[in-house]
Each structure stands twice: as structure tokens, then as C-alpha cells.
Amino acid sequence: MPRIHFHQQLAALKDKLLAMAALAHQVLEYSVTAYANGDMSLCDHVLEIEAAINAAEREVDEMAYELLSREQPMAIDLRFILSVIKINGDLERIGDQSVNIAQRARSLEKLPRVALPVDIVRMGEHAGKMTQLAIQALVEGDVAIADQVLAMDDEMDLMNREVQDVMVELMQQKPEITDYALNAIIIARNLERSGDHATNIAEDVIFWVRGSDVRHKFALADAD
């Protein structure tokens, strides 16, 4: 009977984390849409959702640490709780990056609009897809989906480097658009970091399911 209760608590912890993950995915989408459409009302929603994410982070951490101290779990259950703690932090940081993007969108609203020769919205869609797949991998405990996220990270890095290179060249050619271009560079960097956090989540799913730490390229013996 105590073991059944423990697994019910694990399920409740996962549900709480998934609710937070849904907020992180939503806030990222809102911030990119605010940038793309100049919709400042979405910037306000970003701040509201990020506050909810911060509150959820504290609750998830409390639940996870309480389970660790009270139940002393072993093997896959221990890996799951450790992964939840790390994923929790990455979801909160996706919220932080989204706030940064919304703040840049507000700054751009005050400047004359410039048509840039880079597709930052596509970067945003890519980051959103990485986040969505990382969450799906968590929901399903699916390592194959997590591997897809890892593969997508290289493309995100390439897109970010392209934005940096093109914007630097453009600023040299047209110094009058420097403020606009710098904000675009910062947004691209925020999106690239969001992709990094999605990658971290995927790696933690792999650790939970396989017992393999792919961040440092070594495998732990499976104690299951």
C-alpha cells in the first residue's frame, strides 16, 4: 500500500511539471508572436505567465525534495525525481528567455520598423518545436523523441550564428539601423538559449529512461 501511494505521488509530481511545461511552451510562443506582430498586449501576458511559472517551479521543487527525503527512492524512480528537478529549472529559464524577448519586442516597438534579411520568426518556430518535442518526450518517456530534439539543436545554433553574422554586416552598411539590429541579435540569442534548455530537457528524459548521461557521454549502470 505505501508503494502505491508513492507512485501516486510521482504521478502528481509529473502532472505538476507537465502543467508548468505547457506554460513554458505558451510563453515562448507569445513572446515570438509579440515580436513578429508588434502585439504589446502579448508582452503583458508573457509577464503574467512567467510569474505563474516561477510559482510552479517552487512547488515542483518542494514536492521533489520532499519525495527524495521521505521515500529514499532507488533506480528509475530516483532518476525520475532528479530529472524533474533539472527539467524544472530549464522550464523556468525558458520563461526567463521569453520575458527577455518580450522586453526586446517592446524596445523595437519604439523604433522605425526595419525589414531584416534574417528569419527570426523561423528561429522562434524552431525553438517552439524543440520545446514541444522535449515535453512530448517527457510525457511519453520516449527516448527517440528526445533524440530528435538533440538533432535539432545544431540547426538552431547555425541559425543563431547566421543572424549574428548578417546583422553585424548590416550594421556596418547601415549604421542608422544599429539599435534595431542589436535587438534582433539579442532576440536570436534568447531563442538559441531556449533551444539549449529544450535540449537539456531531452537529455534529462534520456537519463531518466536509459540511465545514460548524454551530456558528458558516459553511461551509468542500469540499476533497475
Side-chain angles (χ1 to χ4, degrees):
M1 192 68 177
R3 199 65 186 167
I4 294 173
H5 180 62
F6 171 59
H7 282 101
Q8 289 173 338
Q9 291 176 307
L10 286 180
L13 177 63
K14 185 176 182 180
D15 287 344
K16 188 70 178 177
L17 185 69
L18 291 176
M20 182 181 172
L23 290 175
H25 185 245
Q26 183 182 47
V27 78
L28 181 60
E29 284 190 336
Y30 278 6
S31 67
V32 173
T33 303
Y35 161 75
N37 299 341
D39 187 343
M40 294 302 101
S41 66
L42 284 177
C43 294
D44 294 332
H45 288 312
V46 167
L47 296 177
E48 292 168 2
I49 296 170
E50 198 261 346
I53 289 172
N54 290 342
E57 182 196 23
R58 291 190 292 271
E59 292 176 13
V60 169
D61 270 350
E62 288 173 5
M63 291 173 68
Y65 285 122
E66 184 178 354
L67 281 173
L68 278 176
S69 63
R70 190 176 67 239
E71 302 293 342
Q72 298 182 335
M74 301 291 289
I76 195 168
D77 292 335
L78 174 60
R79 294 202 305 270
F80 174 71
I81 296 174
L82 293 175
S83 295
V84 164
I85 293 169
K86 291 191 286 183
I87 290 169
N88 190 34
D90 280 301
L91 291 171
E92 190 275 334
R93 290 181 185 93
I94 289 173
D96 289 344
Q97 299 302 327
S98 300
V99 168
N100 291 342
I101 294 168
Q103 290 171 340
R104 293 302 99 203
R106 285 192 187 278
S107 297
L108 288 171
E109 184 68 11
K110 302 170 186 174
L111 300 172
R113 198 150 184 93
V114 177
L116 298 176
V118 290
D119 195 347
I120 291 180
V121 173
R122 178 171 168 262
M123 276 192 75
E125 291 170 348
H126 194 78
K129 184 65 175 177
M130 290 177 71
T131 305
Q132 180 185 13
L133 286 173
I135 295 167
Q136 183 181 349
L138 174 63
V139 170
E140 301 178 14
D142 192 321
V143 169
I145 296 174
D147 284 336
Q148 290 181 46
V149 179
L150 305 190
M152 293 173 72
D153 190 48
D154 288 340
E155 185 178 354
M156 177 61 82
D157 292 341
L158 286 173
M159 286 190 285
N160 182 51
R161 282 196 293 272
E162 180 186 4
V163 170
Q164 315 297 318
D165 293 344
V166 172
M167 289 297 95
V168 168
E169 183 177 350
L170 188 63
M171 285 187 289
Q172 291 171 346
Q173 296 171 355
K174 299 180 178 180
E176 67 274 12
I177 59 93
T178 294
D179 287 347
Y180 202 96
L182 284 173
N183 277 287
I185 287 173
I186 293 169
I187 290 172
R189 180 59 176 151
N190 292 141
L191 290 171
E192 189 269 338
R193 286 177 174 169
S194 295
D196 286 343
H197 293 307
T199 299
N200 291 345
I201 293 169
E203 289 171 340
D204 286 324
V205 170
I206 294 170
F207 170 73
W208 161 40
V209 176
R210 279 190 188 154
S212 300
D213 191 335
V214 294
R215 294 187 195 191
H216 303 293
K217 309 300 181 187
F218 66 85
L220 300 175
D222 194 344
D224 299 346

